[in-house]
Amino acid sequence: MGVRARPAVRKGNELAKAKTKTTITTQATTTTKATKPDWQMPGILAEPVEEYLYSILPPRDEVLAEMEAEAARRKIPIVGPAVGRILHQLALMIGAKTVFEMGSAIGYSTLWWARAVGEGGLVFYTDGDRKNADQARGYFERAGVASRINLATGDALELLSEHKQEFDVIFNDVDKEDYPRVFRLAVPRLRKGGLFVTDNVLWSGKVAQKNPDHTTEAILEFNRLLYHSPDLFTTILPIRDGVAVAIKK
């Protein structure tokens, strides 16, 4: 009789384990190691600390949660909710009304910016993929912020170079090899007291490795430019993949 009971115990254990492997839903606020989305990009913080930071985040609304699930499914690079909250908070702290975003994908970070700038604010979305832009437009309309966003497709550096105005925030998330070029282009277009914010500046920890590859070298050069610039005061936040926040003096 004891022998016959063993399969049932195993089955029960398997069922219990399956229930612990949660997937991202509109109400999801935590992830497990088995279902951790690519956009979370572990490796900078100690894993227990990182898991804690994500576990205490408030639930996102339906649109943001759907974007997170879509990004996880299609392996689309997004900043994720922990960094998204930082972007939103930074914009609120300086009363930002104009944000130029370089590299927007499906518009996840754009939505965080757009909600922060409020009515009368404007966020410039840029991406090289028209399909991404079309999908992003749908999210913006559902979120009720489409009127605050200017969508443009093409090379983000070229699109920024066409603007002569100064921005409250410039957010850099383009191809990493272009980061040094972005620095030289973006800083003059930032108002005094404005923020130059950049994602992926720790590059999965590769910035600390010996014999860096070409992409990592570009990020290392960019970080040096940020910290040595007389026009900026810079701090790198070691969350997710590293976020650089520089204020123009």
Side-chain angles (χ1 to χ4, degrees):
M1 188 171 181
V3 174
R4 292 178 182 174
R6 288 175 185 170
V9 171
R10 281 202 303 271
K11 185 175 181 181
N13 288 340
E14 291 170 359
L15 180 60
K17 290 178 182 179
K19 287 181 178 179
T20 64
K21 296 182 179 180
T22 57
T23 56
I24 298 174
T25 67
T26 57
Q27 298 302 318
T29 59
T30 62
T31 56
T32 66
K33 188 173 182 180
T35 61
K36 188 178 296 182
D38 287 347
W39 50 255
Q40 191 167 322
M41 295 187 69
I44 301 302
L45 293 176
E47 187 170 355
V49 175
E50 181 189 56
E51 292 297 334
Y52 169 73
L53 290 176
Y54 279 95
S55 72
I56 63 173
L57 293 177
R60 272 76 70 199
D61 62 88
E62 182 179 354
V63 177
L64 282 174
E66 183 178 324
M67 296 172 86
E68 291 169 17
E70 176 73 356
R73 184 179 67 84
R74 293 175 50 199
K75 299 187 182 302
I76 299 171
I78 62 172
V79 299
V83 173
R85 291 178 66 87
I86 292 174
L87 305 184
H88 186 96
Q89 186 175 14
L90 289 172
L92 292 178
M93 289 171 67
I94 67 165
K97 286 297 180 183
T98 56
V99 177
F100 193 96
E101 187 173 61
M102 307 181 70
S104 303
I106 60 173
Y108 183 82
S109 52
T110 320
L111 182 49
W112 284 100
W113 291 120
R115 287 174 167 166
V117 301
E119 291 293 340
L122 187 61
V123 181
F124 292 81
Y125 164 108
T126 65
D127 198 81
D129 189 329
R130 187 170 296 278
K131 290 183 178 179
N132 279 345
D134 290 340
Q135 186 172 8
R137 182 181 290 106
Y139 289 130
F140 301 152
E141 290 173 352
R142 287 173 54 197
V145 297
S147 63
R148 307 176 194 176
I149 300 171
N150 180 294
L151 278 86
T153 55
D155 183 274
L157 282 78
E158 293 180 3
L159 292 169
L160 179 59
S161 67
E162 295 172 0
H163 289 273
K164 304 306 177 184
Q165 72 182 86
E166 290 184 335
F167 296 94
D168 296 323
V169 179
I170 296 178
F171 178 53
N172 170 33
D173 197 10
V174 297
D175 291 339
K176 311 315 162 191
E177 291 84 353
D178 289 331
Y179 273 21
R181 290 177 55 212
V182 171
F183 174 89
R184 298 179 179 91
L185 183 64
V187 175
R189 288 171 170 78
L190 195 66
R191 71 160 170 88
K192 184 177 180 179
L195 298 177
F196 182 32
V197 184
T198 303
D199 194 26
N200 305 115
V201 294
L202 296 181
W203 204 228
S204 299
K206 294 179 182 178
V207 292
Q209 295 178 354
K210 296 180 179 179
N211 302 316
D213 58 24
H214 177 69
T215 300
T216 309
E217 280 283 11
I219 295 173
L220 289 168
E221 179 185 352
F222 176 79
N223 291 343
R224 286 192 294 267
L225 289 169
L226 284 179
Y227 274 102
H228 293 158
S229 171
D231 299 320
L232 301 174
F233 187 90
T234 300
T235 299
I236 289 178
L237 306 178
I239 187 170
R240 187 176 168 269
D241 200 33
V243 179
V245 180
I247 187 168
K248 190 170 183 180
K249 301 176 184 178

